[in-house]
Amino acid sequence: MHLGNYLGLVHSSEQQLVDAFKQVAEHHGDEPDIYQTCMLLSSWSQEHVKALKPFVDRYSEEKNDEPERLSQSLFEEPRSGSLALLRDLHDLWLITNEVHLCWVVILQAARALRDVELENLCQRLDNQTHRQQAWLLTRIKQAAPQTLVVAA
Amino acid sequence: MHETRDSIAEIWGERTPYVGEWPIRVDERTLEEPDQWVQSACVLCSNGCGMDIGVKDGVIVGVRGRAIDPVNHGRLGPKGLHAWIANRSQERLTQPLIRRNGRLEVASWDEAMNLIVQRSQEICARYTSGAIGFYTSGQLFLEEYYTLGVIGKAGLGTPHMDGNTRLCTATSAAALKSTFGSDGQPGAYTDLDTTDAILHVGHNTASQHTVLWMRILDRRRGPNSPKLIVIDPRETATAKEADVHLALKIGTNIPVLNGLLNLIIEAGQIDRNYIEAHTVGFEVLKNTVSHWTPERVEQVANVPAAKLRAAAEILGTANTLVSTALQGVYQSMQATAAACQVNNLHLIRGLIGRPGCGIYQMNGQPTAQNTRECGADGDLPAFRNWDNPEHVAELAKLWNVDVNIIPHWSPPTHAMQIFRYCEQGSIKLLWISATNPAVSMPELTRIRQILQKDDLFVVIQDAFMTETTELADVVLPAAIWGEKTGCYTNVDRTVHISHKAIEPPGGARSDFDIFVDYARRMDFRAKDDAPLIKWNTPEQAFEAWKECTRGRPCDYTGLSYEKLSRGGGIQWPCNEQFPDGTPHLYPDGQFNTSYDYCETYGHDLDTGAATTPEEYRANAPKGKAFLRAADYLPPHEQPDQEYPLWLTTGRLVYHFHTRTKTGRSPALHEAAPDAFVQISVQDAKQYGITEGEMVEVISRRGRVVEKAIVGEIEPGVVFIPFHYGYWDKPERSRAANELTITEWDPVSKQPHFKYAAVRIRKAALVINQIADAIGQDADTVTTVLKP
């Protein structure tokens, strides 16, 4: 059974999100809504990491270092300015999509295992992942025209 | 001089207790006997009292309330009775000014307008119209906002338009849209004549809406007095009158409101049939509020459980209820979320859409409703949905322009973001009308820096030199109320006309004429090559606006200048179906939430994430209202060891906004001549501060020095009124917004003026220390302590 592998993947991806949201918050501290919202969304992923713990134990997580590679390639160095903000939000969106896909995959496994607890967890956390994605998309759409067309 | 009452000493005047119809009491104050009375309405708060302007020899000599008007039945408040004197101030701007070699110098209208046009064209050519922003007001007239809206959206095509309504009333609009699908207050002021109970949340009605408060006091002094509940951290005059005052901790509106909803749901005091037939989201709401037991509310919000129960008992059993919310909700943490809970209270009890049941998501300014309606705040005109291609196409057809010129690719840019773009340099021209951001916006050091940027061209139209005009590149002298004709809509949707009573001073021109002139000089054209702005007079603009509103919730098509000039104000929608206007929206529980009609597809209350059209369509509420639930999120800045106190800011009864008008009335000025810091008896004792002593208040963003007033506030909280800047007293740092935070509500984008962490100390200590260190006397030091 490879469920442990995927739980490892989502577990580390969520941990990556905790850090990445914080990192973007701090790099763009002069954008008040970015700072406040990224800190809030980081705390959601922190809760997810905690909520996953019993299932990671149940299905003996396999260490998965893919997310680290992903976030390393996404956040190589701190960036600032409006284009950098857009790129950072873009990269956060990519990681949240990684997480979302994990929930889809694990949910399928949970159903096949008749693990109702894991099924409920996947649905609850995926809902919050969706809220993270929705905010990123809203903010990206807002920033894109000014950044790409007007800003120097 | 003729004065029916001393409104400075007796703010609300004599009581006229009543049942049934609110008695008439005509308040009047004139310096000389007028030759002529000209119909108007008051522009000193969002209540919109009907008022006549008294004129003698071409000068305003006084005002009186209009007995016939349904809003005020003849009454006027202290600001209305006094502030008109500013029209004749010797300090009025009468000539355009242009900055040359760092100094503002007198210029002709041609020079000023040509310069603005030249800069607009250069900037558009080089950076697109996305480098131009407009920041307007809650003070202009409907015809002016609509003209500005069409210029911005279909002439230039910039998404960067907002008003200072973002600071005062954006949450009102956001909460109404979130719950009911569109802006528009559900009730009428006549609800106060019959209601069983009144709830004020973060609304110091006695001070901010004095005439509304007269009506409430008159009901309370009559037989069959309605119960009154007030939620406010300060012991205001409103709170003192209350049967139950919930003095909550700063930033805890959600815990208190959720706690009330929980008690009402637990007690089964809800209208299950109404909930089932007319709302969506009850189960989530019930689950969310169920965690807020009275004991938990007491722990988090410092409101005694017994008091919460007493309030819930009244709210849960009243057969009719009028609720109001204002800045204590709108300018605090979770603004939209908390305002929505007030809507929820009415929906779960079915107390909406009938006499005695009103929700007032109050407006701050007299014409704020029109800023929102006409698209001058970035929303699309007549409550159209920028995310709905059909709505955008309707406007393109109406204006006969290519649909793609209308910015609809992302949400309209809110004021705080407009200033951020100015700060970053991507907005190069900022055109400010009738507002004073250098005093009214948060974190003034930052705002001053932005307005002074070399690469930002700042145009301002105002009646007076202000802290903001000092930093402008072009200043245009504006005609104001009494000097121009136009309409405006108050908080209960009552539309009034205000006729021109006198000529503006010198070369001052109405904002309407300035905008039309700009459109002509910019040569904005429709697809058929005809001018885009097809009107030259306010009445023609009103007729054009009527067409824009046809079939929308704010339908004006049944109104005309002639009809509005016949008597009192009329409530929209006013059309063929409702020729006399409409007291209550949603009488049948059908709300404006259908996919094709709604003004918004909604937002996540915690993050502001937009609901996509596809998601909205999938969950189609089809005319049901949304019960939006929210759990508690603590304020972003909390008192700590370094900054141990909460600062909250607000208004005073005698002043409006940054006092450009009220500060020029000797009576109003003398009634409230300077800012102050209000501190609790306990804190005063701890810091060794006595009444009248100067106190330094410091936040992470700035410092002010204010005179202390002790008492009537919770320990740990200090209050400073935000009206006071530097135009009449430049020597002391005193503007409350030196201290406030640059942050905003995720949905309404309204800044959080209601909390900041501060520390205080006796100013004498500081001044003496500095004086010692630099070898000067304390008075010299005081005068150099400028912002």
Side-chain angles (χ1 to χ4, degrees):
Chain A
M1 190 166 81
H2 294 297
L3 177 57
N5 180 288
Y6 254 86
L7 284 169
L9 183 60
V10 77
H11 194 223
S12 349
S13 298
E14 287 280 22
Q15 188 56 55
Q16 294 298 323
L17 268 186
V18 172
D19 301 337
F21 271 120
K22 266 192 204 155
Q23 197 180 326
V24 174
E26 275 149 25
H27 290 171
H28 303 282
D30 47 1
E31 303 279 355
D33 64 327
I34 298 292
Y35 181 84
Q36 308 291 3
T37 317
C38 284
M39 293 305 282
L40 177 69
L41 300 190
S42 172
S43 76
W44 290 2
S45 284
Q46 188 69 62
E47 287 161 28
H48 293 189
V49 169
K50 202 174 148 199
L52 266 167
K53 185 71 171 55
F55 299 91
V56 162
D57 294 343
R58 184 180 305 172
Y59 295 104
S60 50
E61 169 186 32
E62 291 169 28
K63 167 113 177 77
N64 192 320
D65 60 6
E66 278 176 52
E68 262 168 63
R69 293 205 310 273
L70 181 63
S71 109
Q72 267 165 18
S73 68
L74 294 176
F75 293 98
E76 270 185 352
E77 53 192 82
R79 299 179 283 209
S80 63
S82 59
L83 183 60
L85 171 65
L86 187 59
R87 291 302 311 276
D88 280 351
L89 296 174
H90 181 139
D91 290 350
L92 280 171
W93 190 81
L94 292 175
I95 307 178
T96 56
N97 272 276
E98 169 88 345
V99 172
H100 167 64
L101 193 54
C102 286
W103 296 130
V104 172
V105 170
I106 297 168
L107 177 65
Q108 293 301 96
R111 282 171 175 162
L113 284 164
R114 281 78 179 174
D115 185 337
V116 177
E117 232 184 313
L118 181 58
E119 190 179 335
N120 290 342
L121 180 87
C122 285
Q123 286 171 335
R124 184 167 70 81
L125 301 197
D126 190 26
N127 178 44
Q128 277 202 311
T129 304
H130 175 71
R131 292 173 70 194
Q132 291 173 326
Q133 291 176 299
W135 176 75
L136 287 164
L137 202 57
T138 300
R139 197 61 180 80
I140 285 167
K141 283 166 99 172
Q142 182 198 329
Q146 197 71 5
T147 304
L148 300 189
V149 179
V150 191
Chain B
M1 191 179 88
H2 174 62
E3 189 175 57
T4 57
R5 70 187 193 92
D6 179 357
S7 63
I8 302 290
E10 298 290 333
I11 295 166
W12 310 290
E14 269 188 52
R15 296 283 51 78
T16 48
Y18 75 110
V19 277
E21 179 99 346
W22 190 27
I24 286 169
R25 180 190 89 192
V26 175
D27 295 342
E28 179 178 328
R29 184 172 171 276
T30 48
L31 298 183
E32 291 175 76
E33 179 66 27
D35 304 330
Q36 187 197 357
W37 290 102
V38 179
Q39 183 183 349
S40 179
C42 185
V43 285
L44 277 306
C45 84
S46 65
N47 207 51
C49 296
M51 166 194 270
D52 288 324
I53 305 173
V55 181
K56 184 182 165 66
D57 301 332
V59 176
I60 299 179
V61 292
V63 293
R64 70 176 180 203
R66 285 173 68 80
I68 198 175
D69 200 90
V71 170
N72 54 317
H73 293 222
R75 290 163 188 76
L76 294 173
K79 289 193 286 289
L81 287 166
H82 285 274
W84 53 268
I85 198 83
N87 278 66
R88 56 158 89 170
S89 163
Q90 292 304 307
E91 293 164 351
R92 288 289 301 276
L93 286 168
T94 56
Q95 289 173 297
L97 306 171
I98 293 176
R99 189 170 298 278
R100 295 187 180 109
N101 302 318
R103 290 184 42 203
L104 286 171
E105 294 177 358
V106 170
S108 70
W109 274 101
D110 267 340
E111 285 174 301
M113 293 307 292
N114 285 342
L115 177 60
I116 296 168
V117 166
Q118 183 203 333
R119 292 304 293 264
S120 302
Q121 287 168 342
E122 282 168 9
I123 287 167
C124 281
R126 193 155 167 212
Y127 305 100
T128 78
S129 61
I132 296 181
F134 291 90
Y135 184 55
T136 189
S137 175
Q139 286 283 296
L140 303 190
F141 294 174
L142 174 161
E143 297 80 355
E144 297 171 324
Y145 292 133
Y146 185 55
T147 305
L148 175 62
V150 179
I151 288 172
K153 285 167 176 56
L156 289 163
T158 175
H160 311 314
M161 304 188 79
D162 204 355
N164 65 10
T165 48
R166 188 63 59 188
L167 316 181
C168 76
T169 186
T171 303
S172 166
L176 293 168
K177 289 186 222 178
S178 295
T179 301
F180 305 119
S182 83
D183 198 343
Q185 309 284 352
Y189 277 168
T190 48
D191 294 330
L192 288 168
D193 301 341
T194 57
T195 195
D196 284 354
I198 300 166
L199 168 67
H200 294 307
V201 190
H203 180 197
N204 183 7
T205 321
S207 175
Q208 310 321 341
H209 293 92
T210 54
V211 175
L212 197 63
W213 186 243
M214 294 171 201
R215 196 168 192 152
I216 291 168
L217 286 180
D218 286 347
R219 264 302 308 282
R220 299 254 310 160
R221 298 296 173 269
N224 195 15
S225 160
K227 295 283 185 201
L228 180 66
I229 297 164
V230 173
I231 303 179
D232 195 310
R234 288 194 301 145
E235 199 187 338
T236 60
T238 315
K240 283 180 192 163
E241 172 73 18
D243 296 298
V244 183
H245 172 207
L246 306 180
L248 77 180
K249 211 173 104 183
I250 301 280
T252 60
N253 288 318
I254 279 284
V256 171
L257 292 165
N258 279 358
L260 290 170
L261 292 174
N262 180 43
L263 284 169
I264 289 166
I265 294 171
E266 288 267 288
Q269 294 159 328
I270 54 174
D271 185 339
R272 288 191 183 279
N273 292 335
Y274 194 91
I275 292 170
E276 179 64 29
H278 301 296
T279 70
V280 292
F282 180 68
E283 285 309 314
V284 175
L285 177 70
K286 183 181 167 187
N287 184 42
T288 305
V289 302
S290 69
H291 305 287
W292 290 98
T293 60
E295 292 69 30
R296 183 156 174 242
V297 173
E298 177 162 348
Q299 214 171 32
V300 175
N302 221 11
V303 168
K307 282 204 166 185
L308 193 80
R309 285 199 176 89
E313 178 60 25
I314 295 170
L315 296 170
T317 54
N319 290 318
T320 48
L321 171 67
V322 171
S323 298
T324 73
L326 195 58
Q327 310 308 358
V329 175
Y330 301 169
Q331 296 178 340
S332 194
M333 188 70 189
Q334 299 189 282
T336 307
C340 283
Q341 304 318 309
V342 177
N343 298 341
N344 289 345
L345 168 63
H346 283 254
L347 287 168
I348 62 171
R349 298 210 57 235
L351 302 178
I352 188 168
R354 58 187 165 89
C357 295
I359 301 168
Y360 299 94
Q361 299 289 349
M362 296 299 292
N363 302 343
Q365 295 177 80
T367 76
Q369 187 66 43
N370 308 106
T371 318
R372 277 145 53 183
E373 287 166 9
C374 298
D377 71 340
D379 287 351
L380 293 182
F383 302 158
R384 285 181 174 83
N385 184 348
W386 68 268
D387 219 0
N388 182 336
E390 295 295 323
H391 285 196
V392 183
E394 281 170 21
L395 290 174
K397 193 174 165 215
L398 180 75
W399 298 333
N400 193 25
V401 296
D402 189 305
V403 71
N404 290 324
I405 193 163
I406 302 171
H408 61 282
W409 44 81
S410 60
T413 314
H414 59 93
M416 299 300 289
Q417 190 68 45
I418 289 177
F419 276 77
R420 176 65 181 152
Y421 287 151
C422 292
E423 185 174 36
Q424 288 179 309
S426 71
I427 289 183
K428 310 274 183 200
L429 190 161
L430 181 64
W431 189 328
I432 299 170
S433 41
T435 188
N436 190 7
V439 178
S440 56
M441 280 202 139
E443 202 177 345
L444 293 180
T445 305
R446 172 174 175 266
I447 297 300
R448 285 188 291 263
Q449 279 166 1
I450 293 171
L451 292 170
Q452 286 177 90
K453 283 185 62 174
D454 288 339
D455 63 348
L456 181 69
F457 188 75
V458 179
V459 179
I460 301 181
Q461 53 204 59
D462 208 306
F464 297 97
M465 286 301 283
T466 66
E467 294 80 349
T468 306
T469 59
E470 298 288 349
L471 309 174
D473 294 289
V474 177
V475 179
L476 303 174
I480 55 176
W481 166 91
E483 299 160 2
K484 58 185 185 182
T485 295
C487 298
Y488 33 97
T489 307
N490 82 341
V491 75
D492 85 336
R493 293 175 282 106
T494 300
V495 186
H496 286 110
I497 190 164
S498 178
H499 286 284
K500 179 174 174 174
I502 57 166
E503 289 299 323
R509 291 185 186 172
S510 71
D511 301 275
F512 179 84
D513 287 339
I514 295 170
F515 292 140
V516 172
D517 185 24
Y518 177 70
R520 300 278 177 265
R521 289 176 198 256
M522 288 293 285
D523 199 27
F524 295 128
R525 286 180 187 272
K527 279 200 289 199
D528 59 2
D529 215 34
L532 172 69
I533 304 296
K534 296 180 172 44
W535 47 88
N536 290 305
T537 67
E539 186 165 10
Q540 291 165 352
F542 187 82
E543 291 299 313
W545 164 243
K546 280 163 61 177
E547 274 318 301
C548 186
T549 65
R550 189 176 291 280
R552 295 299 301 161
C554 54
D555 196 329
Y556 280 69
T557 50
L559 294 170
S560 66
Y561 271 28
E562 189 274 323
K563 192 167 177 175
L564 288 167
S565 302
R566 274 184 224 161
I570 300 169
Q571 287 175 290
W572 65 244
C574 177
N575 50 22
E576 272 182 27
Q577 196 187 349
F578 306 106
D580 301 320
T582 311
H584 290 92
L585 303 184
Y586 318 126
D588 49 3
Q590 285 296 302
F591 299 93
N592 296 335
T593 53
S594 74
Y595 178 82
D596 298 326
Y597 197 62
C598 66
E599 190 181 358
T600 175
Y601 295 132
H603 297 88
D604 188 312
L605 293 182
D606 291 335
T607 66
T611 306
T612 64
E614 298 74 27
E615 286 168 329
Y616 193 86
R617 200 197 283 270
N619 298 315
K622 293 190 182 114
K624 291 185 179 184
F626 292 99
L627 294 166
R628 306 259 184 198
D631 215 331
Y632 174 54
L633 294 172
H636 295 129
E637 186 170 85
Q638 305 248 8
D640 54 19
Q641 274 195 321
E642 209 183 340
Y643 298 93
L645 299 169
W646 286 108
L647 165 73
T648 189
T649 67
R651 295 185 277 172
L652 301 175
V653 66
Y654 299 111
H655 285 298
F656 184 83
H657 207 60
T658 62
R659 296 161 44 259
T660 43
K661 286 171 82 173
T662 51
R664 288 178 168 91
S665 150
L668 294 172
H669 174 75
E670 279 159 29
D674 200 352
F676 57 81
V677 58
Q678 185 181 9
I679 58 177
S680 69
V681 175
Q682 293 88 334
D683 289 326
K685 200 171 161 197
Q686 191 193 326
Y687 288 89
I689 293 165
T690 51
E691 178 98 12
E693 204 169 357
M694 296 306 282
V695 174
E696 187 186 37
V697 187
I698 309 166
S699 79
R700 289 184 173 83
R701 294 152 293 276
R703 50 177 292 286
V704 295
V705 178
E706 315 281 11
K707 193 177 273 190
I709 286 183
V710 177
E712 300 190 344
I713 192 165
E714 291 290 296
V717 182
V718 303
F719 168 84
I720 303 176
F722 90 97
H723 305 290
Y724 299 87
Y726 308 105
W727 61 262
D728 57 337
K729 204 172 183 67
E731 68 275 10
R732 192 183 95 235
S733 179
R734 65 168 180 169
N737 282 320
E738 304 288 352
L739 309 174
T740 47
I741 311 176
T742 303
E743 60 171 52
W744 52 81
D745 182 66
V747 180
S748 69
K749 320 296 185 193
Q750 187 158 351
H752 292 161
F753 292 107
K754 291 296 186 195
Y755 64 81
V758 295
R759 61 170 183 258
I760 60 172
R761 54 181 176 174
K762 291 163 82 143
L765 291 175
V766 194
I767 290 165
N768 291 337
Q769 268 173 18
I770 299 171
D772 282 352
I774 62 171
Q776 299 278 349
D777 63 45
D779 284 348
T780 314
V781 174
T782 309
T783 57
V784 298
L785 284 178
K786 289 182 186 177

